Amino acid sequence: MDTALQQARDCTDGFTWIGLQDPSPEVIHAIAEHFGLHPLAVEDAVHAHQRPKVETHGESLFVVLKTARYVDSDELVEIGELMVFVGSQFVVTVRHGEPSPLSGVRRELEAHPDLLSIGPSSVLYAVIDKVVDDYAAVIAGLAVDMDEIEAEVFSDQHANRAERIYKLKREVLEFRRAVRPLEEPVAQLASPVTGLPVDRRTEPYFRDVHDHLRRDIEQITGFDELLTNVLQANIAQLSMRDNQDMRRISAWVAILAVPTMVFGLYGMNFEHMPELGSRFGYPAVLAFVAVVCTGLYWRLRRAGWL
């Protein structure tokens, strides 16, 4: 850290970019003292758990982003946090969590010297663009699992998928809460009338990011609505299957009621029963029961109860 700060002091041509991941409060306060960061912004960077936002403190800018990645094996959206301090000659990024590593952002900027020459605003654009690109990867992972759930619900397998649907819906809602509030800050960065201390040459780049972000929000909202419909369809199918089972049970109860009644009548062991003296009484009763049960089975099957 001391080496990085010394290099920042020696930098007279260009700007300094310092990246921190899960830093201690002491490190953040040392950085803040060197660059003169606002105490309220430093407090947010230390404690994290902030909503996406853009704040101006004098000539510096403080941006909070929510990062995300999708763990397909667990069907889990991991949400992290990224704070960016932007000044006229410095950029400080503070990451909390694993999503959206920034190691490739520097290489991407160095491959585009025209963009890098704009200064710290170009780094801010590249960081936000990286975060939004990672949103697209999460959306792709969610889309695959949602297709699987939809196919399972409407398959012939009689299984209750409510737990998996509810779990995925909860992840989509958490992802939506992380992404949707970022739309307004990015729109501010892309607008020339907000008066934010960013280089106006980056406006077209921020507008492009804003378009991608709006598309992501629309897809996430669509996922939420689709999961709600799939959950309702799953519940409706379960209710339908329960009704079919009840009708099937009721149909067999009705069929078995005939021999139960007839055999119960003859099981009372009365002495004077006319049929007991008949040679054909027993086979006639069996034939009667068989005919009635067969007729009931045929009628109930035609009615869709069996």
Side-chain angles (χ1 to χ4, degrees), residues 66-70 77 79 131-143 146 168-183 212-228:
K66 289 290 187 179
T67 59
R69 72 170 180 174
Y70 191 57
V77 179
I79 303 296
V131 171
V132 174
D133 285 345
D134 287 346
Y135 290 163
V138 175
I139 289 173
L142 287 170
M146 290 184 61
L168 195 60
K169 183 175 177 63
R170 183 182 61 189
E171 296 301 317
V172 169
L173 288 175
E174 183 178 356
F175 185 37
R176 184 180 178 182
R177 284 195 297 266
V179 176
R180 192 167 187 174
L182 184 59
E183 182 180 6
H212 293 171
L213 184 61
R214 290 185 60 184
R215 179 194 60 197
D216 293 344
I217 294 173
E218 291 175 358
Q219 289 183 288
I220 297 170
T221 302
F223 285 168
D224 185 30
E225 295 174 354
L226 179 60
L227 284 172
T228 299

Side-chain angles (χ1 to χ4, degrees), residues 247-259:
R247 288 192 300 178
R248 192 173 291 110
I249 293 172
S250 300
W252 282 112
V253 168
I255 292 173
L256 293 176
V258 176

Side-chain angles (χ1 to χ4, degrees), residues 146-198:
M146 290 184 61
D147 289 342
E148 292 178 359
I149 289 178
E150 191 174 11
E152 290 173 358
V153 168
F154 294 101
S155 68
D156 295 332
Q157 299 177 358
H158 294 179
N160 186 3
R161 307 296 179 185
E163 181 178 358
R164 186 183 180 191
I165 296 172
Y166 181 78
K167 179 182 176 182
L168 195 60
K169 183 175 177 63
R170 183 182 61 189
E171 296 301 317
V172 169
L173 288 175
E174 183 178 356
F175 185 37
R176 184 180 178 182
R177 284 195 297 266
V179 176
R180 192 167 187 174
L182 184 59
E183 182 180 6
E184 183 178 351
V186 175
Q188 292 177 356
L189 293 169
S191 175
V193 298
T194 55
L196 296 177
V198 294

Side-chain angles (χ1 to χ4, degrees), residues 11 62 64 84 151 225 232 237 251 268 289 292:
C11 180
F62 177 60
V64 178
V84 186
E225 295 174 354
Q232 292 176 349
Q237 285 191 345
M268 291 188 291
V289 170
V292 173

